[in-house]
Amino acid sequence: RKEVEQDPGPFNVPEGATVAFNCTYSNSASQSFFWYRQDCRKEPKLLMSVYSSGNEDGRFTAQLNRASQYISLLIRDSKLSDSATYLCVVNKRTDRGSTLGRLYFGRGTQLTVWP
Amino acid sequence: DADVTQTPRNRITKTGKRIMLECSQTKGHDRMYWYRQDPGLGLRLIYYSFDVKDINKGEISDGYSVSRQAQAKFSLSLESAIPNQTALYFCATSDLWTGKPDEQFFGPGTRLTVL
């Protein structure tokens, strides 16, 4: 089973639409969760961290469900500039529970927003 | 100026050649990483280093070696390049002392083609 699994899409939505992406992770010991954005042929850029209580940054809302090992990203009022691939990212602590973790990246969900 | 830089940005080489990819950062971060990205496979970790004296293998280290010459520099070498090492390579950094050691920041990438 892969460490991180994402809905691959692609999602094609009109401007102004609301779109949601889902992600599941396999390691219940994971402690840090992120959404990264990657434009075509560019580097991934941190979009937002995901906290247990859920968090919002403008039009973007991230939710974490530890019991189900599930992460989501909601984008409201989509803009053309939101077109990109969204990567779900999860850390994995070492077996000794240290803070030395590694990140595992999902394959990404492609979003295209059309005018 | 970019915080994380990679050289070269593009490279075409032949099977059997030795090649080095370089990464430099001005963020003052202690941790550095090398990833490769292949279409449909997402980002995979090759090597990572938590300080100058610490080097660790990632998921796919075979055929690669690294050198952490200084806190700010982390090089990836392909001793004898083969065509299936054709990929997009990213360097990334993070820092334990920010309190967010898992938030990684990526360089612009090196597109490597092995003929």
Side-chain angles (χ1 to χ4, degrees):
Chain A
R1 182 182 175 188
K2 296 192 185 307
E3 296 282 348
V4 180
E5 302 222 39
Q6 285 185 251
D7 184 344
F11 287 73
N12 298 298
V13 303
E15 272 188 295
T18 295
V19 62
F21 305 139
N22 304 316
C23 167
T24 57
Y25 61 96
S26 61
N27 187 346
S28 60
S30 294
Q31 297 288 332
S32 301
F33 310 90
F34 308 94
W35 284 100
Y36 276 73
R37 171 200 167 118
Q38 186 175 24
D39 294 290
C40 187
R41 296 174 177 263
K42 298 289 183 71
E43 72 271 26
K45 293 184 178 179
L46 180 63
L47 178 65
M48 57 195 305
S49 300
V50 186
Y51 303 115
S52 296
S53 55
N55 49 299
E56 187 174 307
D57 183 2
R59 297 181 295 107
F60 299 85
T61 301
Q63 296 281 348
L64 168 64
N65 184 323
R66 286 187 183 273
S68 301
Q69 295 179 208
Y70 173 95
I71 306 163
S72 65
L73 176 68
L74 182 76
I75 304 176
R76 292 182 301 279
D77 188 23
S78 298
K79 310 292 185 190
L80 296 177
S81 58
D82 293 334
S83 297
T85 297
Y86 291 83
L87 308 178
C88 177
V89 183
V90 173
N91 88 325
K92 179 180 178 181
R93 286 180 177 262
T94 66
D95 292 339
R96 289 169 290 177
S98 78
T99 59
L100 300 181
R102 287 166 42 179
L103 294 184
Y104 292 92
F105 289 77
R107 296 183 180 187
T109 299
Q110 186 178 348
L111 171 66
T112 300
V113 182
W114 45 272
Chain B
D1 289 340
D3 294 322
V4 185
T5 57
Q6 292 183 234
T7 56
R9 295 293 312 280
N10 289 283
R11 179 73 182 266
I12 300 174
T13 192
K14 295 182 178 180
T15 297
K17 294 290 187 181
R18 183 178 188 274
I19 184 167
M20 179 181 288
L21 309 183
E22 299 189 351
C23 177
S24 294
Q25 53 115 345
T26 58
K27 299 180 77 68
H29 286 178
D30 53 355
R31 301 176 169 197
M32 298 186 75
Y33 310 79
W34 275 105
Y35 293 90
R36 67 176 278 176
Q37 187 173 38
D38 299 273
L41 291 181
L43 283 152
R44 293 182 291 167
L45 183 64
I46 305 172
Y47 271 96
Y48 60 106
S49 168
F50 285 157
D51 65 42
V52 174
K53 297 179 182 178
D54 176 80
I55 301 289
N56 304 280
K57 292 183 177 181
E59 305 165 64
I60 52 165
S61 57
D62 287 349
Y64 301 94
S65 62
V66 291
S67 173
R68 184 85 184 265
Q69 301 96 319
Q71 187 189 32
K73 295 184 182 297
F74 192 36
S75 300
L76 176 72
S77 293
L78 288 68
E79 297 301 326
S80 180
I82 56 177
N84 76 359
Q85 291 178 312
T86 293
L88 185 54
Y89 289 84
F90 289 107
C91 174
T93 73
S94 70
D95 193 86
L96 175 65
W97 306 108
T98 61
K100 299 179 180 180
D102 292 323
E103 287 191 1
Q104 293 186 12
F105 299 86
F106 286 79
T110 295
R111 186 165 297 280
L112 176 65
T113 303
V114 183
L115 301 176

